[in-house]
Amino acid sequence: MSNQVPALPLVNVQIDGVWHQFPKGTRVIEACAQAGAYIPRYCYHPKLSSPGNCGMCLIEMGMPRLGPDRKQDLRSDAKPLINWILRHQISFAKHVV
């Protein structure tokens, strides 16, 4: 019997126009830091809960737009169209889905 932990599936995420892969469940603020995109923060600490009281780490977030065939709708340059969330999101309270 082995004690190996199964690897989490990787999820494609676009940060500042560049695609990256992260394990499912990674916090968005941590994914951005790994990609080299600094997000200012005040009330964030990796070992604490996610209160989001200060609002300093707000980000724009969206998901790819899907067509009736459940495939991504693409722009003329073959990049996906994005359905943006109407309000800014707290970056450390959101996880890579």
Side-chain angles (χ1 to χ4, degrees), residues 1-77:
M1 189 182 281
S2 69
N3 292 335
Q4 294 180 353
V5 177
L8 293 173
L10 295 178
V11 178
N12 294 323
V13 179
Q14 186 180 25
I15 300 172
D16 290 338
V18 179
W19 288 96
H20 304 275
Q21 287 189 328
F22 298 102
K24 186 175 183 176
T26 303
R27 289 183 180 191
V28 173
I29 197 166
E30 294 164 358
C32 290
Q34 291 175 25
Y38 178 74
I39 297 176
R41 61 197 78 167
Y42 184 73
C43 64
Y44 167 74
H45 189 278
K47 294 184 179 181
L48 298 177
S49 65
S50 304
N53 293 332
C54 71
M56 186 182 279
C57 68
L58 295 177
I59 59 170
E60 291 180 313
M61 191 169 160
M63 299 290 287
R65 182 182 301 171
L66 301 179
D69 57 356
R70 303 297 298 161
K71 293 183 181 178
Q72 291 182 2
D73 285 339
L74 302 176
R75 301 185 320 200
S76 60
D77 61 356

Side-chain angles (χ1 to χ4, degrees), residues 72-87:
Q72 291 182 2
D73 285 339
L74 302 176
R75 301 185 320 200
S76 60
D77 61 356
K79 293 183 180 178
L81 288 167
I82 303 295
N83 281 336
W84 294 101
I85 297 173
L86 296 176
R87 298 171 123 182

